[in-house]
Structures are given as C-alpha cells and as structure tokens.
mmCIF file of all heavy atoms in Angstrom:
data_model
loop_
_atom_site.group_PDB
_atom_site.id
_atom_site.type_symbol
_atom_site.label_atom_id
_atom_site.label_comp_id
_atom_site.label_asym_id
_atom_site.label_seq_id
_atom_site.Cartn_x
_atom_site.Cartn_y
_atom_site.Cartn_z
ATOM 1 N N ARG A 25 115.274 123.403 194.650
ATOM 2 C CA ARG A 25 116.418 122.620 194.193
ATOM 3 C C ARG A 25 116.679 122.854 192.705
ATOM 4 O O ARG A 25 117.822 122.862 192.253
ATOM 5 C CB ARG A 25 116.152 121.126 194.460
ATOM 6 C CG ARG A 25 117.325 120.209 194.114
ATOM 7 C CD ARG A 25 116.963 118.755 194.423
ATOM 8 N NE ARG A 25 118.026 117.837 194.049
ATOM 9 C CZ ARG A 25 119.040 117.523 194.824
ATOM 10 N NH1 ARG A 25 119.129 118.055 196.043
ATOM 11 N NH2 ARG A 25 119.966 116.671 194.419
ATOM 12 N N ARG A 26 115.613 123.089 191.955
ATOM 13 C CA ARG A 26 115.764 123.325 190.507
ATOM 14 C C ARG A 26 116.575 124.587 190.239
ATOM 15 O O ARG A 26 117.433 124.616 189.359
ATOM 16 C CB ARG A 26 114.389 123.426 189.856
ATOM 17 C CG ARG A 26 114.440 123.745 188.365
ATOM 18 C CD ARG A 26 113.061 123.616 187.743
ATOM 19 N NE ARG A 26 112.133 124.596 188.288
ATOM 20 C CZ ARG A 26 111.996 125.849 187.804
ATOM 21 N NH1 ARG A 26 112.779 126.262 186.818
ATOM 22 N NH2 ARG A 26 111.122 126.670 188.323
ATOM 23 N N PHE A 27 116.293 125.674 190.984
ATOM 24 C CA PHE A 27 117.032 126.915 190.786
ATOM 25 C C PHE A 27 118.499 126.734 191.167
ATOM 26 O O PHE A 27 119.397 127.244 190.483
ATOM 27 C CB PHE A 27 116.416 128.049 191.609
ATOM 28 C CG PHE A 27 115.111 128.547 191.074
ATOM 29 C CD1 PHE A 27 113.979 128.551 191.873
ATOM 30 C CD2 PHE A 27 115.004 129.009 189.778
ATOM 31 C CE1 PHE A 27 112.771 129.009 191.384
ATOM 32 C CE2 PHE A 27 113.808 129.479 189.279
ATOM 33 C CZ PHE A 27 112.682 129.471 190.089
ATOM 34 N N VAL A 28 118.756 126.012 192.260
ATOM 35 C CA VAL A 28 120.137 125.795 192.689
ATOM 36 C C VAL A 28 120.881 124.949 191.653
ATOM 37 O O VAL A 28 122.049 125.202 191.347
ATOM 38 C CB VAL A 28 120.167 125.127 194.072
ATOM 39 C CG1 VAL A 28 121.614 124.876 194.502
ATOM 40 C CG2 VAL A 28 119.463 126.001 195.107
ATOM 41 N N ALA A 29 120.188 123.953 191.091
ATOM 42 C CA ALA A 29 120.811 123.121 190.059
ATOM 43 C C ALA A 29 121.177 123.954 188.833
ATOM 44 O O ALA A 29 122.243 123.762 188.225
ATOM 45 C CB ALA A 29 119.871 121.986 189.672
ATOM 46 N N ASP A 30 120.308 124.876 188.461
ATOM 47 C CA ASP A 30 120.622 125.757 187.318
ATOM 48 C C ASP A 30 121.880 126.572 187.591
ATOM 49 O O ASP A 30 122.717 126.765 186.700
ATOM 50 C CB ASP A 30 119.445 126.690 187.038
ATOM 51 C CG ASP A 30 118.259 125.970 186.416
ATOM 52 O OD1 ASP A 30 118.458 124.855 185.898
ATOM 53 O OD2 ASP A 30 117.142 126.511 186.461
ATOM 54 N N CYS A 31 122.011 127.060 188.825
ATOM 55 C CA CYS A 31 123.197 127.852 189.175
ATOM 56 C C CYS A 31 124.449 126.988 189.168
ATOM 57 O O CYS A 31 125.538 127.448 188.798
ATOM 58 C CB CYS A 31 122.999 128.499 190.541
ATOM 59 S SG CYS A 31 121.701 129.766 190.559
ATOM 60 N N ALA A 32 124.308 125.730 189.586
ATOM 61 C CA ALA A 32 125.447 124.811 189.547
ATOM 62 C C ALA A 32 125.885 124.579 188.109
ATOM 63 O O ALA A 32 127.090 124.535 187.812
ATOM 64 C CB ALA A 32 125.070 123.497 190.218
ATOM 65 N N ARG A 33 124.918 124.413 187.204
ATOM 66 C CA ARG A 33 125.261 124.234 185.789
ATOM 67 C C ARG A 33 125.999 125.470 185.250
ATOM 68 O O ARG A 33 126.938 125.359 184.462
ATOM 69 C CB ARG A 33 123.999 123.979 184.973
ATOM 70 C CG ARG A 33 123.350 122.629 185.243
ATOM 71 C CD ARG A 33 122.213 122.345 184.285
ATOM 72 N NE ARG A 33 121.502 121.146 184.691
ATOM 73 C CZ ARG A 33 120.422 121.140 185.467
ATOM 74 N NH1 ARG A 33 119.911 122.292 185.904
ATOM 75 N NH2 ARG A 33 119.844 120.006 185.807
ATOM 76 N N GLU A 34 125.541 126.669 185.650
ATOM 77 C CA GLU A 34 126.188 127.906 185.204
ATOM 78 C C GLU A 34 127.640 127.956 185.696
ATOM 79 O O GLU A 34 128.549 128.369 184.956
ATOM 80 C CB GLU A 34 125.422 129.117 185.716
ATOM 81 C CG GLU A 34 124.054 129.316 185.076
ATOM 82 C CD GLU A 34 123.300 130.471 185.713
ATOM 83 O OE1 GLU A 34 123.881 131.145 186.596
ATOM 84 O OE2 GLU A 34 122.135 130.691 185.339
ATOM 85 N N ALA A 35 127.850 127.560 186.949
ATOM 86 C CA ALA A 35 129.207 127.587 187.507
ATOM 87 C C ALA A 35 130.119 126.607 186.777
ATOM 88 O O ALA A 35 131.281 126.927 186.466
ATOM 89 C CB ALA A 35 129.159 127.267 188.997
ATOM 90 N N VAL A 36 129.619 125.405 186.481
ATOM 91 C CA VAL A 36 130.408 124.422 185.741
ATOM 92 C C VAL A 36 130.686 124.913 184.325
ATOM 93 O O VAL A 36 131.807 124.782 183.804
ATOM 94 C CB VAL A 36 129.679 123.061 185.709
ATOM 95 C CG1 VAL A 36 130.405 122.088 184.786
ATOM 96 C CG2 VAL A 36 129.569 122.468 187.115
ATOM 97 N N ALA A 37 129.664 125.496 183.703
ATOM 98 C CA ALA A 37 129.828 125.997 182.339
ATOM 99 C C ALA A 37 130.885 127.096 182.275
ATOM 100 O O ALA A 37 131.637 127.192 181.295
ATOM 101 C CB ALA A 37 128.491 126.511 181.811
ATOM 102 N N GLN A 38 130.969 127.925 183.324
ATOM 103 C CA GLN A 38 131.965 128.988 183.340
ATOM 104 C C GLN A 38 133.373 128.408 183.389
ATOM 105 O O GLN A 38 134.277 128.850 182.664
ATOM 106 C CB GLN A 38 131.735 129.897 184.548
ATOM 107 C CG GLN A 38 132.731 131.037 184.660
ATOM 108 C CD GLN A 38 132.655 131.980 183.484
ATOM 109 O OE1 GLN A 38 131.617 132.578 183.233
ATOM 110 N NE2 GLN A 38 133.743 132.122 182.733
ATOM 111 N N VAL A 39 133.574 127.399 184.226
ATOM 112 C CA VAL A 39 134.904 126.771 184.310
ATOM 113 C C VAL A 39 135.232 126.055 183.003
ATOM 114 O O VAL A 39 136.377 126.095 182.526
ATOM 115 C CB VAL A 39 134.966 125.806 185.504
ATOM 116 C CG1 VAL A 39 136.314 125.086 185.541
ATOM 117 C CG2 VAL A 39 134.726 126.554 186.807
ATOM 118 N N ARG A 40 134.231 125.394 182.403
ATOM 119 C CA ARG A 40 134.460 124.719 181.126
ATOM 120 C C ARG A 40 134.917 125.730 180.067
ATOM 121 O O ARG A 40 135.865 125.475 179.298
ATOM 122 C CB ARG A 40 133.191 124.018 180.661
ATOM 123 C CG ARG A 40 133.363 123.286 179.310
ATOM 124 C CD ARG A 40 132.078 122.643 178.842
ATOM 125 N NE ARG A 40 131.694 121.521 179.700
ATOM 126 C CZ ARG A 40 130.667 121.536 180.538
ATOM 127 N NH1 ARG A 40 129.904 122.632 180.629
ATOM 128 N NH2 ARG A 40 130.386 120.478 181.272
ATOM 129 N N ALA A 41 134.254 126.880 180.031
ATOM 130 C CA ALA A 41 134.642 127.908 179.065
ATOM 131 C C ALA A 41 136.058 128.411 179.340
ATOM 132 O O ALA A 41 136.827 128.676 178.401
ATOM 133 C CB ALA A 41 133.642 129.068 179.115
ATOM 134 N N ASP A 42 136.424 128.549 180.617
ATOM 135 C CA ASP A 42 137.778 129.002 180.964
ATOM 136 C C ASP A 42 138.823 127.984 180.526
ATOM 137 O O ASP A 42 139.904 128.352 180.033
ATOM 138 C CB ASP A 42 137.879 129.237 182.473
ATOM 139 C CG ASP A 42 137.067 130.447 182.934
ATOM 140 O OD1 ASP A 42 136.704 131.271 182.074
ATOM 141 O OD2 ASP A 42 136.791 130.547 184.146
ATOM 142 N N VAL A 43 138.511 126.698 180.708
ATOM 143 C CA VAL A 43 139.449 125.654 180.292
ATOM 144 C C VAL A 43 139.643 125.684 178.780
ATOM 145 O O VAL A 43 140.767 125.636 178.269
ATOM 146 C CB VAL A 43 138.946 124.270 180.751
ATOM 147 C CG1 VAL A 43 139.789 123.162 180.117
ATOM 148 C CG2 VAL A 43 138.989 124.160 182.275
ATOM 149 N N LEU A 44 138.538 125.783 178.045
ATOM 150 C CA LEU A 44 138.615 125.792 176.578
ATOM 151 C C LEU A 44 139.348 127.028 176.056
ATOM 152 O O LEU A 44 139.986 126.980 174.999
ATOM 153 C CB LEU A 44 137.204 125.717 175.987
ATOM 154 C CG LEU A 44 136.466 124.390 176.202
ATOM 155 C CD1 LEU A 44 135.007 124.499 175.733
ATOM 156 C CD2 LEU A 44 137.176 123.256 175.459
ATOM 157 N N ALA A 45 139.248 128.112 176.805
ATOM 158 C CA ALA A 45 139.927 129.340 176.395
ATOM 159 C C ALA A 45 141.378 129.377 176.846
ATOM 160 O O ALA A 45 142.095 130.343 176.545
ATOM 161 C CB ALA A 45 139.178 130.551 176.944
ATOM 162 N N GLY A 46 141.798 128.360 177.592
ATOM 163 C CA GLY A 46 143.171 128.327 178.079
ATOM 164 C C GLY A 46 143.409 129.205 179.283
ATOM 165 O O GLY A 46 144.559 129.522 179.620
ATOM 166 N N CYS A 47 142.349 129.612 179.967
ATOM 167 C CA CYS A 47 142.463 130.521 181.113
ATOM 168 C C CYS A 47 142.509 129.779 182.446
ATOM 169 O O CYS A 47 142.685 130.413 183.496
ATOM 170 C CB CYS A 47 141.295 131.508 181.135
ATOM 171 S SG CYS A 47 141.176 132.534 179.661
ATOM 172 N N ALA A 48 142.295 128.466 182.438
ATOM 173 C CA ALA A 48 142.301 127.686 183.685
ATOM 174 C C ALA A 48 143.173 126.450 183.487
ATOM 175 O O ALA A 48 143.063 125.757 182.473
ATOM 176 C CB ALA A 48 140.878 127.281 184.053
ATOM 177 N N ASP A 49 144.023 126.202 184.463
ATOM 178 C CA ASP A 49 144.907 125.031 184.367
ATOM 179 C C ASP A 49 144.619 124.008 185.454
ATOM 180 O O ASP A 49 145.385 123.057 185.655
ATOM 181 C CB ASP A 49 146.377 125.452 184.410
ATOM 182 C CG ASP A 49 146.709 126.247 185.667
ATOM 183 O OD1 ASP A 49 145.821 126.379 186.544
ATOM 184 O OD2 ASP A 49 147.843 126.735 185.765
ATOM 185 N N GLN A 50 143.507 124.203 186.206
ATOM 186 C CA GLN A 50 143.096 123.220 187.189
ATOM 187 C C GLN A 50 141.595 123.343 187.420
ATOM 188 O O GLN A 50 140.994 124.378 187.100
ATOM 189 C CB GLN A 50 143.844 123.401 188.509
ATOM 190 C CG GLN A 50 143.543 124.733 189.199
ATOM 191 C CD GLN A 50 144.260 124.855 190.543
ATOM 192 O OE1 GLN A 50 144.851 123.902 191.031
ATOM 193 N NE2 GLN A 50 144.176 126.028 191.148
ATOM 194 N N VAL A 51 140.997 122.299 187.968
ATOM 195 C CA VAL A 51 139.573 122.301 188.315
ATOM 196 C C VAL A 51 139.458 122.124 189.816
ATOM 197 O O VAL A 51 139.864 121.083 190.362
ATOM 198 C CB VAL A 51 138.821 121.170 187.579
ATOM 199 C CG1 VAL A 51 137.400 121.055 188.114
ATOM 200 C CG2 VAL A 51 138.801 121.440 186.081
ATOM 201 N N ASP A 52 138.936 123.166 190.479
ATOM 202 C CA ASP A 52 138.754 123.149 191.934
ATOM 203 C C ASP A 52 137.267 122.960 192.220
ATOM 204 O O ASP A 52 136.473 123.898 192.067
ATOM 205 C CB ASP A 52 139.265 124.459 192.533
ATOM 206 C CG ASP A 52 139.240 124.470 194.052
ATOM 207 O OD1 ASP A 52 138.437 123.715 194.633
ATOM 208 O OD2 ASP A 52 139.997 125.247 194.657
ATOM 209 N N VAL A 53 136.894 121.752 192.621
ATOM 210 C CA VAL A 53 135.477 121.439 192.832
ATOM 211 C C VAL A 53 134.884 122.297 193.942
ATOM 212 O O VAL A 53 133.746 122.777 193.835
ATOM 213 C CB VAL A 53 135.298 119.937 193.151
ATOM 214 C CG1 VAL A 53 133.836 119.632 193.481
ATOM 215 C CG2 VAL A 53 135.764 119.093 191.974
ATOM 216 N N ASP A 54 135.643 122.503 195.014
ATOM 217 C CA ASP A 54 135.134 123.334 196.117
ATOM 218 C C ASP A 54 134.878 124.767 195.653
ATOM 219 O O ASP A 54 133.893 125.400 196.055
ATOM 220 C CB ASP A 54 136.132 123.335 197.278
ATOM 221 C CG ASP A 54 136.199 121.992 197.983
ATOM 222 O OD1 ASP A 54 135.225 121.213 197.863
ATOM 223 O OD2 ASP A 54 137.220 121.726 198.651
ATOM 224 N N ALA A 55 135.760 125.277 194.804
ATOM 225 C CA ALA A 55 135.574 126.648 194.291
ATOM 226 C C ALA A 55 134.357 126.719 193.380
ATOM 227 O O ALA A 55 133.615 127.714 193.399
ATOM 228 C CB ALA A 55 136.824 127.097 193.546
ATOM 229 N N ILE A 56 134.119 125.681 192.585
ATOM 230 C CA ILE A 56 132.944 125.653 191.715
ATOM 231 C C ILE A 56 131.674 125.610 192.559
ATOM 232 O O ILE A 56 130.691 126.312 192.279
ATOM 233 C CB ILE A 56 132.997 124.451 190.755
ATOM 234 C CG1 ILE A 56 134.189 124.579 189.808
ATOM 235 C CG2 ILE A 56 131.699 124.343 189.953
ATOM 236 C CD1 ILE A 56 134.409 123.362 188.931
ATOM 237 N N ALA A 57 131.682 124.794 193.614
ATOM 238 C CA ALA A 57 130.516 124.724 194.498
ATOM 239 C C ALA A 57 130.259 126.064 195.177
ATOM 240 O O ALA A 57 129.110 126.500 195.307
ATOM 241 C CB ALA A 57 130.735 123.624 195.543
ATOM 242 N N ALA A 58 131.329 126.730 195.603
ATOM 243 C CA ALA A 58 131.173 128.047 196.238
ATOM 244 C C ALA A 58 130.608 129.058 195.258
ATOM 245 O O ALA A 58 129.755 129.888 195.614
ATOM 246 C CB ALA A 58 132.521 128.517 196.788
ATOM 247 N N ASP A 59 131.078 129.004 194.013
ATOM 248 C CA ASP A 59 130.549 129.912 192.992
ATOM 249 C C ASP A 59 129.075 129.629 192.727
ATOM 250 O O ASP A 59 128.260 130.551 192.589
ATOM 251 C CB ASP A 59 131.355 129.771 191.702
ATOM 252 C CG ASP A 59 130.881 130.722 190.626
ATOM 253 O OD1 ASP A 59 130.521 131.873 190.951
ATOM 254 O OD2 ASP A 59 130.831 130.311 189.443
ATOM 255 N N ALA A 60 128.697 128.358 192.666
ATOM 256 C CA ALA A 60 127.291 128.002 192.464
ATOM 257 C C ALA A 60 126.437 128.501 193.619
ATOM 258 O O ALA A 60 125.323 129.006 193.419
ATOM 259 C CB ALA A 60 127.151 126.489 192.311
ATOM 260 N N ALA A 61 126.950 128.370 194.847
ATOM 261 C CA ALA A 61 126.210 128.857 196.020
ATOM 262 C C ALA A 61 126.035 130.368 195.967
ATOM 263 O O ALA A 61 124.960 130.898 196.277
ATOM 264 C CB ALA A 61 126.939 128.443 197.297
#
C-alpha cells in the first residue's frame, strides 16, 4: 500500500504542476486514479 500511495502522490503532483503551469483547466479524479494505477 505504501508504494501505491507514493504513486498516487506522484499522479496528484503532476496534475498540480500542470494546473500551476496553465496546462490544465480541469481536474479529472478518475484520470488521476488511472494514472496512479
């Protein structure tokens, strides 16, 4: 579970960086979960 949690944090961090860079205009939770998986 620890390794999966780390991957989830990485996926969230990637979307956060995209939002801050102006590259994302929405947050898709299902897409973030799929990326973490």
Side-chain angles (χ1 to χ4, degrees):
R25 184 180 177 86
R26 177 171 64 87
F27 287 124
V28 179
D30 288 342
C31 293
R33 291 188 188 93
E34 291 175 4
V36 172
Q38 180 63 60
V39 176
R40 180 182 292 109
D42 291 343
V43 170
L44 292 173
C47 301
D49 57 5
Q50 64 178 352
V51 171
D52 186 336
V53 176
D54 290 339
I56 296 173
D59 182 38

